[in-house]
Amino acid sequence: MKQVNAIMGLLAAGALLFLLMPIVTILPIALSSGDYISYPLPGLSLRWLSQVALHPGWREALANSIFIALGSAMLATLFGTLAAVGLVQAAPRQARALRGLLMLPVAIPSVVLGLGLYFLLARAGLLSTYTGLILAHATISFPLVMVVVGASLATTDLVVIRAAQSLGAGWRMIFLSVLVPMLYPAILAGFILAFLNSFDEVIVTMFIAGPEQNTVPRVLFANLRDRLDPSVVAVTVLMLLLSALLGLLLQLLARWTQRRPADQ
């Protein structure tokens, strides 16, 4: 048994090392004093991090990314939560079929989804607009919220819904006064996942966005093609830090959710 555990531990350590090595390898390049991406580093400097922080193009892209991610995350959270609640109320066979259909935005290739959204939004006159981008990002993010909130609903005693119905409460009151207070940790976790998913999205964005809707991943992709210098790595490091901070927030939220019944 000890040998099996040792082998499993080695395999887990190897898999973890394989996942972390690309990240660990690029981190020092963000602190390079050279003009190009190269190893060994010619020296250490904060020039590329400060250049990214002060460059108007990167700042505009960051503002666009945050605006689009916040808008799409709010929409995805609303519709994802409503979808999860609706699936709980449906018959099991219908719920399985509907869940499969609603998961399509994350199941089909991003290129196919981006092309479909391109033609749909073009007919609606929303191409190259912030509204179109927010709707497109919400489409690919709301299944994540639906899964997270649905998982929380699966462990929730839904007798409170029937109790509220027996007291004459309508669905609007049940949703706002019963379900949201019970599910808000899962709703907040879904919002964070939707925000991260939108902030990192690039393929669908390239189909929908116009010249004025530059986002951080889109500018990063363009720089990788046209000008490969350590500023690209500096932006990557900053995105990693943002993802790590939000991931830590998710972990703290999960711990707090697990402890909440004990506290009550």
Side-chain angles (χ1 to χ4, degrees):
M1 191 63 185
K2 290 183 178 179
Q3 291 180 343
V4 174
N5 289 337
I7 293 173
M8 295 298 290
L10 285 175
L11 289 175
L16 186 62
L17 187 63
F18 177 77
L19 292 173
L20 291 179
M21 275 304 291
I23 299 174
V24 174
T25 302
I26 66 167
L27 286 179
I29 299 177
L31 301 176
S32 172
S33 61
D35 294 328
Y36 304 99
I37 296 176
S38 62
Y39 268 119
L41 300 179
L44 296 178
S45 170
L46 296 175
R47 59 177 287 203
W48 295 109
L49 289 172
S50 61
Q51 181 173 318
V52 166
L54 299 176
H55 193 279
W58 284 116
R59 294 171 66 175
E60 179 187 358
L62 178 63
N64 285 339
S65 287
I66 292 175
F67 174 70
I68 294 167
L70 283 176
S72 64
M74 285 191 285
L75 273 181
T77 302
L78 173 63
F79 289 109
T81 302
L82 290 175
V85 173
L87 288 174
V88 168
Q89 298 300 312
R93 182 176 296 180
Q94 294 173 338
R96 283 194 295 272
L98 287 173
R99 188 177 292 107
L101 287 174
L102 293 173
M103 289 300 294
L104 281 178
V106 295
I108 62 177
S110 297
V111 174
V112 177
L113 181 64
L115 192 60
L117 287 171
Y118 173 84
F119 287 112
L120 179 65
L121 294 174
R123 290 185 67 86
L126 294 176
L127 274 185
S128 303
T129 65
Y130 286 104
T131 303
L133 265 179
I134 289 173
L135 290 174
H137 283 204
T139 301
I140 59 178
S141 298
F142 94 89
L144 303 176
V145 181
M146 183 183 72
V147 169
V148 173
V149 177
S152 180
L153 274 171
T155 61
T156 301
D157 189 358
L158 298 180
V159 70
V160 292
I161 296 179
R162 290 190 286 275
Q165 286 176 321
S166 67
L167 294 173
W171 268 107
R172 181 180 176 184
M173 180 177 290
I174 292 173
F175 182 77
L176 295 177
S177 302
V178 178
L179 290 176
V180 170
M182 289 171 59
L183 299 173
Y184 73 87
I187 294 173
L188 183 56
F191 176 85
I192 293 173
L193 284 176
F195 180 90
L196 281 174
N197 192 47
S198 171
F199 196 86
D200 291 338
E201 166 57 38
V202 64
I203 297 177
V204 172
T205 302
M206 294 181 74
F207 278 95
I208 308 301
E212 295 180 355
Q213 286 87 42
N214 277 327
T215 60
V216 172
R218 192 181 179 203
V219 176
L220 186 64
F221 190 81
N223 279 15
L224 282 173
R225 182 187 58 203
D226 302 330
R227 186 186 59 188
L228 194 59
D229 58 36
S231 67
V232 174
V233 182
V235 174
T236 305
V237 170
L238 294 177
M239 291 180 69
L240 282 172
L241 288 176
L242 175 64
S243 299
L245 284 175
L246 292 178
L248 179 62
L249 182 60
L250 278 175
Q251 291 294 324
L252 294 175
L253 193 61
R255 285 190 181 183
W256 179 76
T257 303
Q258 291 172 352
R259 292 177 181 174
R260 193 172 58 148
D263 293 339
Q264 291 174 345

